[in-house]
Amino acid sequence: MTEASEFSRDSSSLSEEQFMCSVCLDVFTDPVTTPCGHNFCKTCLTQYWDNSPNCICPLCKEKFIKRPELKINTTLRDVVDHFKKKKCPNKPDIFCDVCTGVKLMAVKSCLDCGVTFCKSHLEPHNNVPKYKKHKLINPVENVEDYICQKHERPLELFCREDQMCVCQFCTEGEHRTHNTVTIEEESGEKRTQLRKTQLKVQQMIQERLKKMEEIKQSVELRKKSTESKIADSIEVFTALVRSIERSQAELLQMMEEKQKAAERQAEGLIKDLEQEITELKRRDSELEQLSHTEDHIHLLQIYPTMNSPPHIKNWTDISIDTNVNVETVRKVLSLLQKTLNTKLSEILNTKFKQAVSTELKRSQQYAVDVTLDPDTAHPSLVLSDDGKQVTHGDTKQNLPDNPKRFDLYIDVLGKEGFSSGRFYYEVQVKGKTEWLVGVARESVERKGKIKLTPQNGFWTVILRNENQYRVCAGHHVSLTLREKPQTVGVFVDYEEGLVSFYDVEARSLIYSFTGQSFTEKLYPYFSPSLHHGGKNSAPLIISCMSNTE
């Protein structure tokens, strides 16, 4: 068994990727092998080297001092052909036009004869000199489609003016002045164009697969965020219920203690009443006896004592309070409300800080490399060589004016624009007393006075006079920040219509524009503001971050 047939036998278990050219991303056509051992289509590699200053391998980038002579790898070609036959559905059988009775399988079609032949009937075309000059092709069903209907000659040429196949006689007649090339040449160019189109289609597929993955990730992130918020809400309300139950228990305990105190008071009063009743009954018995005595002398002697009322309490205003003290209950409820408010505030603050920190960490996964665009910079701005820093200079530079350049406000945009997805960047504002940071849409006004509002295409946070922070959301909104940001993070979710600003060190949210509608490219936007005689001379510095996604 030959090497080619061995490979052909095993190729059925191989995948398409193993026969794919890394240049055109299609199955090999006339494969050739480089000295470094990699395989490519002959046309792809030839065109690659024709358009490259150096002769290198497109895959591993190995450089060749002398351009290698390309020869078709026949073994690999046979394997690829076998793979293509396995991959493609079976073509319909084509039979000989000459055979009578049982027709044999055709092997060639003759464009001069307009007939398809089997092997035996093709024999004259192989032996007879007259027929040897005929144009033979692989067998086809409709031979007439390959023959000029006007001149009955093979369609061997292609007219680029009329975009049609023609015969040799056509080029001597109505196509005489037209640009005609061989069908093979035009087919090769069309194949090249189709490969380019295929690459674009494949790129579109990859972009949509990426977008699909982004959507899936967004849904998954939203699901996790929702689950986290539900868990946080349950935790908050559980803590509140526990606080209410604890305060309720304290109130019930106080009421029970009041009840026990009332019971103890009642027991003491009843005991006193019982003693007085006993004393009064004894007096009543003595008075009963004296009312019937015959001892007049004794009666007169004891009369002053027995006739005076006994020493007992006045029970008229003595009672047990059956109501709970209202003031006491009010104090308990006030304490309960204060406790709940404090507890709720603590829980919500903790959860909010945790949520913001998580959102910032997620946003940083979409970090992009931002550099400043000198073509947009106001003439008085000084940009660093690496395009990462900007300051306000003392003098206005003599720079060419162009539609992209800001001419009144000392602003500058980033080079990179974004029209979909998410992106994040950080800028250091340390040591500055004034600055502006945010994003702007591509079509914003660059000349004259500019109003920094979302309606005009600007989403920004501003510092003025060292500690006055605000945003322009159609009107000025003042911000109260606990700490002075040293690094500001800017995150944009294009499809969500979200622009968020973070204090990176404090891991806190400065402000968010929500519910926005973006329809064109957005660019990072910066202004270091005036240097104010050196007071605000510190630069804005774009932090170098790597995408951690």
Side-chain angles (χ1 to χ4, degrees):
M1 184 179 291
T2 65
E3 182 181 8
S5 61
E6 180 68 25
F7 273 116
S8 298
R9 184 177 62 84
D10 295 337
S11 64
S12 58
S13 62
L14 298 175
S15 65
E16 183 174 350
E17 287 77 9
Q18 293 170 287
F19 299 116
M20 186 175 290
C21 172
S22 60
V23 177
C24 66
L25 301 180
D26 199 358
V27 178
F28 292 124
T29 299
D30 294 333
V32 293
T33 304
T34 60
C36 56
H38 294 118
N39 299 305
F40 306 92
C41 298
K42 183 177 181 180
T43 303
C44 293
L45 187 57
T46 300
Q47 292 179 350
Y48 183 85
W49 283 347
D50 289 343
N51 297 320
S52 177
N54 298 314
C55 190
I56 61 175
C57 173
L59 193 61
C60 70
K61 306 304 180 184
E62 181 177 339
K63 187 174 182 180
F64 309 120
I65 299 175
K66 183 180 178 182
R67 181 165 176 167
E69 182 181 353
L70 298 177
K71 293 183 178 180
I72 296 175
N73 187 330
T74 55
T75 301
L76 180 57
R77 182 186 61 188
D78 293 343
V79 175
V80 172
D81 290 343
H82 180 77
F83 175 80
K84 288 179 179 178
K85 290 178 182 178
K86 288 284 186 178
K87 178 185 174 184
C88 298
N90 293 328
K91 294 181 180 180
D93 293 333
I94 299 173
F95 298 98
C96 177
D97 292 335
V98 183
C99 289
T100 57
V102 178
K103 291 184 175 291
L104 299 178
M105 294 288 294
V107 293
K108 290 291 179 179
S109 292
C110 177
L111 299 183
D112 291 272
C113 300
V115 178
T116 298
F117 299 101
C118 65
K119 186 176 181 181
S120 60
H121 287 122
L122 183 65
E123 195 63 30
H125 284 75
N126 295 327
N127 300 320
V128 179
K130 176 183 176 182
Y131 294 134
K132 283 185 177 181
K133 298 178 181 179
H134 286 192
K135 179 78 172 181
L136 297 176
I137 62 172
N138 288 329
V140 293
E141 284 189 291
N142 302 312
V143 183
E144 60 273 12
D145 292 343
Y146 297 80
I147 300 173
C148 176
Q149 299 301 308
K150 184 176 182 180
H151 302 109
E152 296 185 351
R153 300 296 297 168
L155 296 172
E156 300 176 304
L157 301 169
F158 184 82
C159 176
R160 287 179 170 173
E161 273 79 359
D162 296 330
Q163 290 292 299
M164 61 183 294
C165 296
V166 296
C167 71
Q168 184 66 43
F169 289 170
C170 291
T171 62
E172 298 172 1
E174 59 184 300
H175 297 273
R176 181 171 55 83
T177 60
H178 293 182
N179 179 19
T180 57
V181 295
T182 64
I183 285 180
E184 288 76 13
E185 181 180 348
E186 184 66 21
S187 177
E189 292 195 12
K190 289 291 192 289
R191 190 180 294 111
T192 300
Q193 292 299 324
L194 288 175
R195 285 173 179 166
K196 291 180 180 179
T197 303
Q198 183 186 15
L199 287 175
K200 291 179 181 179
V201 172
Q202 290 173 346
Q203 183 179 357
M204 293 169 67
I205 293 172
Q206 293 303 318
E207 289 172 352
R208 279 148 183 77
L209 288 172
K210 182 180 179 182
K211 178 58 66 177
M212 187 169 66
E213 190 61 30
E214 285 181 3
I215 293 173
K216 289 180 180 179
Q217 290 179 358
S218 296
V219 172
E220 188 62 28
L221 287 171
R222 187 176 290 277
K223 179 182 178 182
K224 291 180 180 179
S225 176
T226 300
E227 291 174 348
S228 176
K229 289 175 181 176
I230 291 174
D232 290 344
S233 299
I234 292 174
E235 184 177 344
V236 168
F237 286 110
T238 300
L240 289 175
V241 169
R242 288 173 181 170
S243 295
I244 293 172
E245 290 175 345
R246 186 164 55 251
S247 299
Q248 181 186 38
E250 293 173 356
L251 178 60
L252 292 175
Q253 183 180 359
M254 183 222 37
M255 295 175 69
E256 289 175 355
E257 289 176 353
K258 290 287 185 181
Q259 174 64 26
K260 290 180 181 179
E263 291 175 357
R264 288 194 297 270
Q265 181 187 13
E267 288 176 358
L269 293 176
I270 291 172
K271 185 176 181 181
D272 291 345
L273 285 169
E274 288 175 345
Q275 290 176 352
E276 290 189 357
I277 290 171
T278 299
E279 180 63 24
L280 288 172
K281 285 181 177 180
R282 186 182 63 77
R283 177 65 66 89
D284 178 62
S285 177
E286 290 177 350
L287 290 173
E288 177 67 22
Q289 292 176 4
L290 287 174
S291 65
H292 297 90
T293 184
E294 298 294 333
D295 187 347
H296 303 294
I297 298 297
H298 179 67
L299 176 62
L300 292 174
Q301 291 175 340
I302 201 172
Y303 174 77
T305 302
M306 295 300 292
N307 191 51
S308 61
H311 297 289
I312 57 177
K313 293 181 181 180
N314 182 5
W315 293 92
T316 304
D317 297 326
I318 297 177
S319 63
I320 300 297
D321 186 6
T322 58
N323 296 316
V324 177
N325 189 290
V326 176
E327 184 62 27
T328 301
V329 174
R330 186 180 292 114
K331 288 181 180 180
V332 171
L333 292 177
S334 176
L335 179 62
L336 172 60
Q337 183 177 6
K338 184 177 180 181
T339 301
L340 292 178
N341 289 340
T342 302
K343 187 69 176 176
L344 180 59
S345 178
E346 290 176 355
I347 293 173
L348 291 179
N349 283 337
T350 299
K351 293 302 177 185
F352 181 73
K353 288 180 179 179
Q354 291 175 349
V356 170
S357 181
T358 300
E359 287 297 314
L360 175 57
K361 185 176 180 181
R362 183 179 70 86
S363 299
Q364 288 173 327
Q365 295 178 347
Y366 299 95
V368 295
D369 183 21
V370 175
T371 54
L372 301 170
D373 184 358
D375 290 338
T376 66
H378 184 275
S380 64
L381 290 179
V382 179
L383 277 57
S384 63
D385 292 339
D386 62 358
K388 298 293 184 181
Q389 301 186 30
V390 57
T391 56
H392 178 227
D394 292 323
T395 59
K396 193 173 181 180
Q397 304 171 74
N398 185 18
L399 298 175
D401 189 20
N402 63 62
K404 295 173 63 178
R405 191 181 305 283
F406 293 95
D407 68 348
L408 181 60
Y409 291 103
I410 51 174
D411 302 338
V412 60
L413 298 179
K415 280 186 178 180
E416 300 78 13
F418 304 89
S419 57
S420 65
R422 305 177 180 90
F423 67 92
Y424 173 89
Y425 73 91
E426 292 180 357
V427 54
Q428 293 182 28
V429 296
K430 183 178 181 181
K432 297 193 64 61
T433 58
E434 293 187 356
W435 49 260
L436 289 83
V437 171
V439 292
R441 66 181 177 223
E442 188 173 22
S443 65
V444 292
E445 183 59 51
R446 315 290 177 96
K447 311 300 180 183
K449 291 187 177 181
I450 302 171
K451 192 172 183 181
L452 301 177
T453 64
Q455 291 77 11
N456 292 334
F458 294 90
W459 293 265
T460 60
V461 168
I462 304 169
L463 170 64
R464 289 285 183 264
N465 301 322
E466 297 190 37
N467 56 10
Q468 295 177 7
Y469 296 92
R470 67 173 187 259
V471 295
C472 297
H475 59 283
H476 287 301
V477 177
S478 297
L479 302 175
T480 302
L481 306 182
R482 292 185 178 181
E483 301 178 45
K484 188 178 179 70
Q486 303 299 303
T487 303
V488 176
V490 183
F491 172 70
V492 175
D493 187 327
Y494 195 96
E495 283 74 20
E496 193 72 18
L498 171 70
V499 182
S500 294
F501 298 86
Y502 295 94
D503 181 339
V504 176
E505 281 77 12
R507 305 196 71 75
S508 61
L509 179 67
I510 297 175
Y511 188 82
S512 282
F513 292 91
T514 59
Q516 306 300 302
S517 179
F518 304 131
T519 57
E520 56 184 275
K521 275 189 177 182
L522 297 179
Y523 289 82
Y525 167 79
F526 311 87
S527 176
S529 295
L530 300 172
H531 59 59
H532 294 302
K535 186 178 180 181
N536 187 41
S537 60
L540 286 179
I541 304 174
I542 301 172
S543 302
C544 294
M545 296 184 61
S546 60
N547 193 319
T548 58
E549 188 178 14

